[in-house]
Amino acid sequence: MTNLPNCPKCNSEYTYEMGLLLVCPECAHEWSQTEAEHIMEDVSVKDSNGTTLSDGDSITIIKDLKVKGSSSALKQGTNIKNIRLVDGDHNIECKVDGFGILKLKSEFVKKIG
């Protein structure tokens, strides 16, 4: 099975090939394979120390972070496993115990190991 990139518009993981195009069944966005390769090359997310992050990495929070809609905060030193990189200002998506799925900025984390 080939590893196709997520949809650049809605980040759906269910993309498929249709001729020379890649198609997203969720938002109907279509793009070319060369455009997808260009997008994959441009995605380079770095942590607070300049270390390149990738999907599945483990990270730790470097400072207390307020969580919008919650009365508590993410504490410095909280470890998070199996991150996923996404486009946008908050470029890390992860699941945090006690908070659920959150998006974080890479400038507030550092890679573990």
Side-chain angles (χ1 to χ4, degrees):
M1 179 178 216
T2 55
N3 188 13
L4 297 175
N6 289 355
C7 174
K9 189 172 183 183
C10 72
N11 206 32
S12 170
E13 61 186 28
Y14 302 110
T15 58
Y16 62 91
E17 291 179 284
M18 186 174 69
L20 298 175
L21 296 177
L22 296 173
V23 181
C24 174
E26 294 185 8
C27 71
H29 181 67
E30 298 178 351
W31 67 102
S32 69
Q33 184 67 32
T34 54
E35 183 181 343
E37 290 170 1
H38 180 67
I39 291 169
M40 296 291 275
E41 290 173 3
D42 287 348
V43 176
S44 177
V45 177
K46 298 187 184 291
D47 69 1
S48 60
N49 295 332
T51 305
T52 302
L53 298 171
S54 57
D55 286 343
D57 282 345
S58 296
I59 58 172
T60 187
I61 306 293
I62 62 167
K63 67 178 253 179
D64 289 352
L65 299 173
K66 293 181 182 178
V67 178
K68 193 173 188 177
S70 175
S71 59
S72 57
L74 273 175
K75 298 293 182 186
Q76 177 180 354
T78 302
N79 292 329
I80 302 168
K81 297 178 183 176
N82 199 19
I83 64 169
R84 191 170 130 216
L85 302 179
V86 295
D87 290 331
D89 188 30
H90 292 72
N91 48 9
I92 298 173
E93 189 173 85
C94 57
K95 185 174 182 180
V96 181
D97 293 335
F99 290 94
I101 296 175
L102 296 176
K103 288 190 175 182
L104 302 171
K105 291 185 177 184
S106 59
E107 63 197 62
F108 299 119
V109 303
K110 71 176 181 179
K111 185 176 178 177
I112 301 173

